[in-house]
Amino acid sequence: MTREVVRAQACTGFAVSPDGSRFRLHFDLAGERDCALDLPVSELAPLMRLMPQIQQIALPQRRGDASLRVMRTPVSWSLERDMTDESLALVLVTDDGFEWCFQLGDAEIFRMAEFLRDERMTTLPAPGSRQ
């Protein structure tokens, strides 16, 4: 079975259904017609996992350098305590407008602090879990 390929020029926006159960991504088809991809919100997490993977594959291929990594520069950060479950939310805002939130327990924050204090723990290349 041959899959239809729609060659879009840009993703122009999104919409969320009134009940929050579905979302649409809008695309510009180079002056022809616009189109939209309508998905259930349950597909948002898999889509969010795929986007950084696509970027990490495409950048080195486009530049011809397999060692390149996608790097984001945080312009601000905060640690916020969730009083309902005593966890911490580490929020990083990047220079390209992304906001990344990570839920961390106190023990993980203390391990990170110890790691940062001991510069011998900082490695190049990155540990295997990040490669």
Side-chain angles (χ1 to χ4, degrees), residues 91-112:
V91 181
L92 300 172
V93 180
T94 63
D95 60 350
D96 52 4
F98 288 99
E99 183 175 296
W100 301 91
C101 300
F102 302 90
Q103 183 178 12
L104 303 168
D106 287 341
E108 184 64 22
I109 291 287
F110 291 134
R111 276 195 302 274
M112 290 170 74

Side-chain angles (χ1 to χ4, degrees), residues 34-77:
D34 291 340
C35 71
L37 175 63
D38 188 283
L39 292 167
V41 166
S42 61
E43 290 304 306
L44 191 54
L47 186 61
M48 295 297 293
R49 279 191 299 274
L50 285 174
M51 291 302 145
Q53 291 174 8
I54 293 168
Q55 192 177 36
Q56 189 57 58
I57 292 169
L59 176 68
Q61 284 180 353
R62 186 171 188 174
R63 303 261 174 91
D65 183 350
S67 68
L68 289 177
R69 295 184 76 165
V70 175
M71 303 291 279
R72 291 173 172 82
T73 303
V75 293
S76 67
W77 63 272

Side-chain angles (χ1 to χ4, degrees), residues 74-96:
V75 293
S76 67
W77 63 272
S78 65
L79 272 176
E80 304 166 5
R81 176 149 322 261
D82 183 342
M83 299 311 282
T84 59
D85 67 0
E86 294 295 315
S87 66
L88 291 169
L90 170 61
V91 181
L92 300 172
V93 180
T94 63
D95 60 350
D96 52 4

